[in-house]
Amino acid sequence: MKLQNVILPGRDPKSRWDVDYENDTINTITPAIASTAPGCTASSSNNPSPFTLEESPDPASLLLPPLCHPHIHLDKAYLLTCNAQHNPRCAGTGPLPEYTDLAPQDGSFKEALEFTARAKQRYTPEDLYLRGSQLLGTSLGQGVTSCRAFVELDHVTGRKCLDAAVNLKKVFNGMVRVQICAFAQDPIFSTGHGEENRQILSRALEECSEGDIEVLGTTPYVENSREASLENIKWAVETALTRGLHLDFHLDYNLDREQSVMTWDVLQVLKEKRWKDRAQPGKAIVLGHCTRLTLCEDEEMERLAKTIKEWQLPVHFVGLPTSDLFMMGRSTSGDRRRGTIQVLDMISRGMDACLSVNNVGNAFTPWGTGDPIALASLGVGVYQAGTEEDAVRLYECVSTRARRAIGLESENDTVALSEGRKGEVLLVRNEQWVGCPGHLGMKIPARQWVSVRDVVWDPPDVGLRQIVRGG
């Protein structure tokens, strides 16, 4: 197919290009034949509208790399906002549980864990499939073509969440690349159910078909002692190496200077277990949250970047601002600090980092649509990043950098599209007129998205986004 008269990121926004796109590959990019852009010509004095009403050729669309969720919980999505009981179209899908009683009360992490534990007791296969399909379908409409989907395995859920994810992975094959992370949210080396949780997780890794599970994830900080947390880390690293999996830790989720930074422990274990030499090619490690790092001085952050580079560890950090900002700063002592890792600062220091949504519609994050572009836009304020260069970097954090973090092919982190690039593309369609027929009685020229900064600063409506695949 040929994508005609499009705007390309990193090039003059006034220029227009024709892109020959076949077999999901950009073969050629050539200058488009000159066309007249929509006008905003001043009208005559007897016309009350300051704009001409004559139709013009359709505006050019903006072509971008697609979006990616490098860290999102598939089984916990829309617990509070699915509202299946009130949707007649959900009739016939099987018994659907109700979760409205699990809305946040104090908003604490402890409460979110407790409410989610209650929710897990109500999960049914039909319910997990419905909410998971809603998340993936919504994400696809937003421009997402790949995701790392976390599903919990423990003594409460068994394999229920995993089985639903495997089914959804097949259903969405060819539309969304679903990379399943078998995830231990609960302790696996402490408490009364730790050993049982670990056995269930291990058994699933052994019994699943090849390729169903691609990532192992754990949460060391939920263990009841530092010793158990270290056992958690060591077991996860060794298991991932033995089974040829990517590795993903929820880590350092606090703003407490009295607590040690376990990121250093992870790096030490990775070195001791010889990840660089033993891991299969392309297998990487992701550290999510890590809010404790926001309390580190510049010197320690520089040392962190230097250590990762010298030890040649493929470590990526994923910032999760929507959850972090909601959870942090709830101290009863009056300390109301917020914290989420400084993703752009980490990138400037030479570390690999990106952004993700984490949770949508549950006690961990009851707000937000899960739109990665909206997340990038939030980053402008969170990181006080207002330059055009910042906007481009933030878009990378939900697209190219996010894909590379989960081990998907990416030649580089830039958003620029060049000949030879493989993979889907995201088309942001521009319109001629403001869409308010019947209200104003006149036509108003619509604003145009002609650059990455326009998209990040003012996210386009989902209805203007379209994933394009070259058949």
Side-chain angles (χ1 to χ4, degrees):
M1 70 173 66
K2 179 165 283 191
L3 302 172
Q4 296 181 308
N5 197 42
V6 296
I7 306 166
L8 295 177
R11 306 193 185 200
D12 184 348
K14 295 186 180 67
S15 64
R16 300 294 182 265
W17 304 90
D18 290 340
V19 177
D20 181 58
Y21 183 58
E22 296 291 341
N23 299 319
D24 284 345
T25 302
I26 295 177
N27 293 317
T28 61
I29 298 175
T30 56
I33 299 174
S35 61
T36 304
C40 299
T41 309
S43 66
S44 60
S45 59
N46 59 1
N47 186 341
S49 170
F51 312 111
T52 59
L53 300 182
E54 296 178 0
E55 295 293 328
S56 303
D58 289 338
S61 298
L62 175 63
L63 207 60
L64 295 167
L67 307 173
C68 172
H69 289 311
H71 180 131
I72 196 160
H73 291 267
L74 186 65
D75 48 1
K76 293 187 291 210
Y78 304 136
L79 287 174
L80 302 179
T81 57
C82 174
N83 295 321
Q85 300 288 349
H86 304 282
N87 187 347
R89 292 186 178 274
C90 293
T93 58
L96 296 174
E98 182 69 66
Y99 300 108
T100 53
D101 59 313
L102 301 179
Q105 301 302 312
D106 62 30
S108 66
F109 182 72
K110 179 181 179 182
E111 178 190 71
L113 282 175
E114 178 187 340
F115 282 9
T116 302
R118 287 194 220 169
K120 290 194 293 189
Q121 295 174 357
R122 307 176 193 179
Y123 286 173
T124 66
E126 296 83 3
D127 162 59
L128 287 163
Y129 181 87
L130 172 64
R131 291 185 291 101
S133 63
Q134 288 173 332
L135 176 65
L136 294 176
T138 298
S139 298
L140 181 62
Q142 291 164 342
V144 173
T145 62
S146 56
C147 71
R148 174 168 290 179
F150 288 77
V151 290
E152 296 182 27
L153 293 98
D154 53 43
H155 69 284
V156 176
T157 62
R159 282 189 45 161
K160 200 178 298 181
C161 302
L162 174 61
D163 291 341
V166 170
N167 190 11
L168 287 165
K169 180 175 182 174
K170 295 174 182 176
V171 169
F172 280 84
N173 182 43
M175 295 179 287
V176 180
R177 168 76 160 80
V178 179
Q179 186 188 75
I180 297 175
C181 177
F183 178 55
Q185 172 73 76
D186 294 342
I188 55 175
F189 278 93
S190 59
T191 75
H193 294 288
E195 184 175 352
E196 182 182 2
N197 291 338
R198 189 172 73 255
Q199 289 177 351
I200 290 171
L201 185 57
S202 297
R203 193 176 306 121
L205 294 174
E206 293 172 0
E207 296 174 352
C208 265
S209 300
E210 184 177 357
D212 281 347
I213 297 174
E214 299 178 68
V215 192
L216 173 62
T218 72
T219 316
Y221 60 79
V222 299
E223 304 285 359
N224 63 9
S225 69
R226 174 173 171 77
E227 291 71 26
S229 295
L230 289 172
E231 286 300 313
N232 182 309
I233 293 168
K234 292 174 183 178
W235 176 85
V237 172
E238 182 60 37
T239 302
L241 284 169
T242 302
R243 299 194 173 279
L245 302 171
H246 295 288
L247 184 60
D248 203 306
F249 287 115
H250 286 48
L251 207 64
D252 288 327
Y253 201 27
N254 67 81
L255 288 176
D256 186 353
R257 291 187 183 277
E258 301 302 315
Q259 292 201 36
S260 62
V261 179
M262 295 208 77
T263 296
W264 290 109
D265 296 305
V266 169
L267 298 183
Q268 188 63 44
V269 172
L270 290 169
K271 182 182 181 183
E272 291 173 356
K273 296 282 187 179
R274 299 175 27 249
W275 181 280
K276 181 177 74 71
D277 302 317
R278 295 176 59 199
Q280 290 185 4
K283 300 304 179 184
I285 308 101
V286 169
L287 307 182
H289 292 296
C290 295
T291 52
R292 173 63 178 80
L293 293 182
T294 63
L295 303 182
C296 295
E297 301 294 337
D298 285 349
E299 182 181 354
E300 184 169 7
M301 294 304 292
E302 287 291 343
R303 184 162 62 92
L304 181 63
K306 182 179 179 181
T307 300
I308 293 171
K309 182 178 181 179
E310 288 184 350
W311 291 358
Q312 300 178 48
L313 296 173
V315 170
H316 298 254
F317 294 88
V318 178
L320 308 164
T322 48
S323 290
D324 297 344
L325 297 178
F326 179 72
M327 282 293 168
M328 297 290 106
R330 295 181 179 276
S331 171
T332 56
S333 65
D335 186 346
R336 304 288 287 176
R337 287 173 299 170
R338 300 292 190 269
T340 189
I341 56 172
Q342 297 293 321
V343 166
L344 298 188
D345 177 71
M346 297 177 84
I347 292 172
S348 71
R349 296 178 188 275
M351 288 182 271
D352 289 311
C354 60
L355 289 167
S356 197
V357 168
N358 190 29
N359 282 293
V360 186
N362 58 41
F364 291 95
T365 318
W367 67 289
T369 65
D371 179 10
I373 296 181
L375 179 64
S377 187
L378 175 67
V380 175
V382 169
Y383 304 120
Q384 299 174 324
T387 70
E388 182 165 1
E389 181 182 358
D390 290 332
V392 171
R393 185 61 50 81
L394 287 166
Y395 190 88
E396 293 171 357
C397 285
V398 295
S399 59
T400 53
R401 289 179 182 273
R403 286 179 62 87
R404 194 160 62 83
I406 63 174
L408 299 184
E409 71 288 342
S410 180
E411 296 176 4
N412 52 55
D413 293 322
T414 179
V415 298
L417 300 176
S418 57
E419 293 180 353
R421 181 194 178 277
K422 298 183 181 296
E424 313 92 342
V425 289
L426 173 60
L427 196 70
V428 176
R429 190 178 72 256
N430 281 308
E431 295 187 332
Q432 288 191 13
W433 312 104
V434 171
C436 47
H439 295 285
L440 296 179
M442 63 179 180
K443 290 186 176 180
I444 300 173
R447 291 172 295 111
Q448 306 292 299
W449 285 273
V450 300
S451 65
V452 175
R453 77 172 195 179
D454 293 341
V455 170
V456 171
W457 288 350
D458 181 13
D461 185 87
V462 171
L464 298 175
R465 310 178 200 178
Q466 178 186 349
I467 293 296
V468 181
R469 293 178 170 85

